[in-house]
Amino acid sequence: MDREVVAGPGLPPQIGPYSHAVRAGELLFVSGQPGIDPGTGEPAGPTFGEQARQAFANLDAVLRAGGSRPDLVVNTTVLVADTSSFAELNELFGAFFPEQPPARMTMQVPLPRGLLVSIGCTAVVG
């Protein structure tokens, strides 16, 4: 089976020793994409909504760099620092995946650097 690390310009900064994504055969495994502004390397703002919108934008950039797109996502893992943001997460998730949304697991965990959300997924390569 072919295995290829997804890298390149235009992707958000990594905050640890991991790959943005790895393509294995016809599947793309995307690491959790936090709400980090690619231009500054800092959280996209102090609110959950600002960071979540950026996390979805970062997820989209990595998906496309790996040869996939949001409508080909089959499973997601969403990490949130506080579950009180769940209603806002549902609204943004529905906007990003408007039809036939993927499976999702959401967990509350402590996140580093003042981050409030991180979104990873598995997608089919288009």
Side-chain angles (χ1 to χ4, degrees):
M1 177 184 308
D2 292 336
R3 179 186 182 279
E4 179 184 350
V5 170
V6 175
L11 296 180
Q14 294 165 255
I15 59 172
Y18 59 85
S19 299
H20 284 296
V22 175
R23 187 171 37 228
E26 296 300 313
L27 294 177
L28 183 67
F29 299 89
V30 180
S31 295
Q33 298 301 307
I36 292 181
D37 182 317
T40 66
E42 297 297 323
T47 70
F48 179 85
E50 290 169 311
Q51 289 190 26
R53 281 190 266 305
Q54 186 63 60
F56 280 114
N58 293 344
L59 185 66
D60 185 61
V62 175
L63 283 167
R64 293 183 189 283
S68 192
R69 56 186 193 264
D71 63 303
L72 295 176
V73 172
V74 296
N75 187 46
T76 60
T77 300
V78 181
L79 307 178
V80 296
D82 186 349
T83 56
S84 68
S85 307
F86 202 74
E88 189 171 11
L89 170 64
N90 276 340
E91 182 180 323
L92 294 168
F93 196 90
F96 191 74
F97 298 110
E99 296 181 22
Q100 298 181 339
R104 179 178 84 185
M105 177 173 46
T106 304
M107 296 179 289
Q108 180 175 335
V109 300
L111 293 168
R113 299 180 56 197
L115 292 168
L116 303 174
V117 62
S118 179
I119 307 166
C121 70
T122 303
V124 176
V125 175

